[in-house]
Amino acid sequence: MKKRVGVLALQGAFREHRQVLEKLGCDVTEVRRTSDLDGIQGLIIPGGESTTIGKLLIIDEMGERIKELGAKDMPIFGTCAGMILLSKTIVDSDQYRLNLMDTVVERNAFGRQVASFETDLQVPALGVNPLRAVFIRAPYLKEVAPNVGILAEYNGKIVFVRQGNLLASAFHPELTPDNRVHQYFLNMIDEH
Amino acid sequence: MTDIGSFKVKTGLAEMLKGGVIMDVTTPEQAIIAEEAGACAVMALERVPSDIRAEGGVARMADPSIIKNIMEVVSIPVMAKARIGHFVEARILEALGADYIDESEVLTPADDSYHINKHDFKVPFVCGCRNLGEALRRIGEGAAMIRTKGEPGTGNVVEAVRHMRTVMSEMRALTLMPQEELMTAAKDMGAPYDLVLYVAEHGKLPVVNFAAGGIATPADAALMMQLGVDGIFVGSGIFKSGDPKARAKAIVMATTHYKDAKLLAEISKDLGQPMSGIEISTLTESQRMQERGW
């Protein structure tokens, strides 16, 4: 049986996630309306603008439905903007969020676009080979609760975490040909 | 190895803007309205294109304090425009920390033969095009994002449609050509050969392609999305309309739900007056901004 995975398609780089998931043998649903959430086994919240996606999540109460599914243990993976939306606390912002992870996120934490970068990250959970990670106006996690597992740091800053059924990265695994992060997320669906 | 300002990083931001709306703003107040409406970025300007048309004179890079003030009040990316070929304006915008530079035909060109060598910068650039050859020349110069030129400040979408259809049909034609015809195609359209090969193989541009110039309604935005663009720039269409807040929000929603005609009908209701607009056939050649760029 193919896994049915949703990719939130309100704004941002959802097509790239779709392509990776299809390469890994999933059935992909682009989630634009609340009814698109029916029947999916996992959800990816892509990179994009967290304020834009947040505004569009309010319509149709889609955000509330995603919150319920996340609280019921459906695996959810947020990249960059997705990490911001999953966090309970966003430094200096009252923007809309899903409020699911016990993390404190700082937006645009590495600076503006001219400071965006790519680098090799050590991620023990994915094996010994480093992961090429692309950071675009990226956030990082200033603080995480003890129940949040840290999967990777960059220069002492937390950039990749897991809390139970929730996964979040400050970088964009969908922009590189290395599929290990998505495979890790699909394994979370299997465990579920 | 850590790498700042690589092509991957430059194109990466454009990838994140996809499916979104980038709005021209001239004041911090307008920037806040745009962010509140769900814009994925703003373009900081001294005057919107329709005012540039109305007032005439030489249109230049905005005063750095306008750009700074806008950067301070919003958390979304802030873009700014430099004149074609004006690499010093571009250096100033890069130093200010603008997230993207638009080397734009809306401003009065500073160089009538050469565009900026965009490879030389850490900050990414977006450039306009009317056809595939022009798009590939700009990418060859280092543009990390492309947009149609349309006819800015007119509220008339016809040129943006023409430019998008032209680019798409020229790309389709390349994908069907046998290998031996591609060099002549590159010569005929004045495009770098390696980029012609890329399009022939992939059927798409190597960078993100947005629509711009003349978009004034949610239906215009959805039309451009259905024609295959990755997102929308709106300039005068919002802040020269009767109710900018409502219109901005509606255009954001229409860009997300561009195939949902029922929802588009809902969104398009009660938006007040759209900008009045200009019929393009009444413009003389020198008034047509799309003719700028080489």
Side-chain angles (χ1 to χ4, degrees):
Chain A
M1 266 287 278
K2 279 186 165 187
K3 284 189 212 30
R4 176 162 289 279
V5 182
V7 179
L8 192 65
L10 297 173
Q11 190 268 324
F14 50 85
R15 207 181 310 150
E16 283 64 25
H17 281 290
R18 181 188 183 119
Q19 285 161 357
V20 180
L21 290 171
E22 282 173 349
K23 221 177 274 174
L24 295 174
C26 300
D27 260 337
V28 181
T29 305
E30 290 190 0
V31 176
R32 288 194 175 78
R33 304 300 295 268
T34 306
S35 56
D36 298 330
L37 293 163
D38 298 342
I40 59 170
Q41 296 166 277
L43 176 70
I44 291 184
I45 305 174
E49 269 309 309
S50 62
T51 50
T52 302
I53 299 172
K55 305 264 172 217
L56 293 162
L57 275 173
I58 299 170
I59 299 160
D60 231 12
E61 299 203 324
M62 174 134 76
E64 297 310 302
R65 180 77 186 121
I66 292 173
K67 262 194 223 179
E68 282 170 27
L69 291 170
K72 274 192 207 145
D73 290 340
M74 184 181 78
I76 302 179
F77 173 28
T79 57
C80 192
M83 174 189 255
I84 296 166
L85 287 160
L86 286 174
S87 288
K88 285 192 176 164
T89 309
I90 306 172
V91 175
D92 289 335
S93 172
D94 56 3
Q95 69 187 83
Y96 182 82
R97 70 208 64 180
L98 296 168
N99 216 14
L100 284 167
M101 291 185 93
D102 296 304
T103 49
V104 178
V105 68
E106 167 126 19
R107 293 189 57 193
N108 302 329
F110 296 94
R112 304 192 72 91
Q113 170 63 16
V114 284
S116 292
F117 61 98
E118 48 178 313
T119 192
D120 293 321
L121 273 190
Q122 294 301 328
V123 189
L126 300 180
V128 287
N129 290 336
L131 182 78
R132 193 70 181 160
V134 184
F135 291 79
I136 310 283
R137 285 172 48 95
Y140 62 70
L141 297 178
K142 276 187 101 166
E143 275 174 58
V144 301
N147 56 336
V148 177
I150 297 171
L151 297 172
E153 296 188 6
Y154 171 73
N155 282 352
K157 297 177 168 104
I158 303 165
V159 294
F160 190 23
V161 295
R162 176 174 177 180
Q163 177 180 349
N165 58 314
L166 307 169
L167 187 69
S169 72
F171 52 89
H172 294 282
E174 76 283 9
L175 293 184
T176 51
D178 191 334
N179 295 333
R180 282 180 289 165
V181 175
H182 286 82
Q183 190 57 60
Y184 182 92
F185 177 62
L186 295 180
N187 294 345
M188 285 170 56
I189 296 178
D190 282 332
E191 290 163 25
H192 177 55
Chain B
M1 200 193 72
T2 299
D3 202 352
I4 294 181
S6 64
F7 198 62
K8 170 114 339 242
V9 163
K10 287 179 175 180
T11 51
L13 179 54
E15 303 287 347
M16 297 310 137
L17 298 172
K18 281 187 306 197
V21 181
I22 300 166
M23 300 181 192
D24 282 356
V25 297
T26 57
T27 63
E29 292 71 30
Q30 288 182 352
I32 291 166
I33 291 173
E35 186 175 48
E36 279 292 310
C40 65
V42 291
M43 177 77 70
L45 282 174
E46 210 149 59
R47 293 177 285 170
V48 293
S50 64
D51 287 336
I52 292 174
R53 284 189 184 283
E55 292 166 27
V58 175
R60 311 179 178 88
M61 173 188 83
D63 184 322
S65 63
I66 292 181
I67 297 164
K68 273 269 169 222
N69 292 342
I70 288 170
M71 280 177 11
E72 270 166 30
V73 296
V74 293
S75 65
I76 55 180
V78 176
M79 304 183 166
K81 286 185 195 285
R83 281 180 271 176
I84 289 176
H86 206 315
F87 54 85
V88 175
E89 284 188 350
R91 281 289 175 214
I92 291 170
L93 295 173
E94 184 181 48
L96 282 170
D99 294 296
Y100 242 93
I101 296 177
D102 186 354
E103 186 182 21
S104 177
E105 67 283 355
V106 170
L107 305 185
T108 309
D111 192 319
D112 62 4
S113 299
Y114 306 110
H115 284 252
I116 296 170
N117 174 21
K118 293 165 277 285
H119 293 291
D120 222 17
F121 288 74
K122 294 262 186 256
V123 63
F125 281 75
V126 53
C127 288
C129 76
R130 286 180 300 172
N131 53 50
L132 184 58
E134 197 173 19
L136 296 182
R137 286 195 296 282
R138 296 295 85 82
I139 298 166
E141 293 158 356
M145 179 177 182
I146 290 291
R147 54 173 173 72
T148 58
K149 287 182 169 174
E151 195 50 53
T154 61
N156 188 337
V157 79
V158 67
E159 296 299 317
V161 168
R162 187 202 313 278
H163 299 160
M164 188 56 196
R165 281 200 182 273
T166 303
V167 170
M168 295 297 275
S169 76
E170 288 175 334
M171 290 201 292
R172 276 194 298 273
L174 284 187
T175 62
L176 299 173
M177 272 181 206
Q179 180 87 18
E180 66 271 19
E181 294 181 8
L182 292 174
M183 182 59 86
T184 298
K187 182 196 73 177
D188 290 345
M189 69 172 85
Y193 181 59
D194 60 327
L195 292 173
V196 168
L197 290 183
Y198 179 94
V199 173
E201 188 184 338
H202 297 91
K204 63 186 215 45
L205 294 176
V207 302
V208 166
N209 183 20
F210 269 48
I215 294 151
T217 66
D220 288 348
L223 171 66
M224 295 310 299
M225 291 297 285
Q226 292 212 24
L227 289 175
V229 300
D230 294 309
I232 307 288
F233 283 92
V234 193
S236 323
I238 289 176
F239 289 103
K240 290 291 163 187
S241 74
D243 186 350
K245 271 187 198 175
R247 186 163 295 267
K249 210 172 156 190
I251 290 178
V252 169
M253 277 196 72
T255 303
T256 297
H257 300 288
Y258 62 95
K259 281 186 189 158
D260 190 335
K262 265 192 186 159
L263 194 67
L264 290 171
E266 274 304 305
I267 294 166
S268 301
K269 279 198 277 191
D270 305 323
L271 295 178
Q273 273 298 317
M275 69 181 285
S276 62
I278 300 172
E279 170 48 40
I280 291 168
S281 60
T282 65
L283 297 175
T284 64
E285 201 171 317
S286 67
Q287 291 173 314
R288 285 157 64 102
M289 291 173 175
Q290 61 177 284
E291 311 291 339
R292 302 163 169 179
W294 357 102

